[in-house]
Amino acid sequence: MKEEIAAAVVFMSRLIRLNDCIPKEKAEEFSDHLTELLLEKFKNHWYAENPQKGQAYRCIRVTPVSPIDPLLNKAATLSGLNYSDLRLPTELTIWIDPQEVSCR
């Protein structure tokens, strides 16, 4: 679980660093908080023997209809950032599953 979360967090931190308006220290703080939040959220929803079980629960999703992902928002707030500072794409989906992390 830790490896998959680390992969997703690396992807997110690289994505938010592209906009150059977030200082490196704040981006690192965001990554640390996101890691902690994901570990806590997934601890009872990780099924290595059946990776598709709980897949929707382990999804980070940003869409035009739901432009704010609650977990990303909480990590931003804990880091002293506004969610809008992240400048995420209009649509983003990251699935964090046992032995696989994918995005669209």
Side-chain angles (χ1 to χ4, degrees):
M1 176 170 69
K2 289 181 181 179
E3 289 179 15
E4 292 89 347
I5 289 173
V9 170
V10 165
F11 176 80
M12 285 302 304
S13 63
R14 287 182 179 170
L15 187 62
I16 65 169
R17 286 185 192 162
L18 290 175
N19 65 42
D20 289 331
C21 75
I22 297 176
K24 182 179 179 182
E25 300 79 27
K26 286 290 184 185
E28 288 173 1
E29 193 176 341
F30 172 83
S31 295
D32 291 344
H33 285 298
L34 184 58
T35 299
E36 292 170 16
L37 291 168
L38 289 170
L39 283 168
E40 181 63 29
K41 181 177 180 181
F42 295 171
K43 73 178 178 184
N44 293 318
H45 295 277
W46 196 260
Y47 309 98
E49 70 289 346
N50 187 5
Q52 296 191 349
K53 182 178 179 182
Q55 191 175 47
Y57 185 79
R58 296 186 307 268
C59 178
I60 294 173
R61 184 149 181 143
V62 176
T63 67
V65 175
S66 271
I68 298 177
D69 180 87
L71 203 66
L72 297 177
N73 189 39
K74 187 170 185 177
T77 300
L78 290 170
S79 305
L81 298 168
N82 291 317
Y83 187 83
S84 60
D85 294 337
L86 303 178
R87 295 187 182 175
L88 297 174
T90 307
E91 189 151 350
L92 170 70
T93 305
I94 303 173
W95 292 274
I96 306 166
D97 298 318
Q99 299 183 11
E100 182 177 23
V101 177
S102 55
C103 67
R104 175 180 63 111

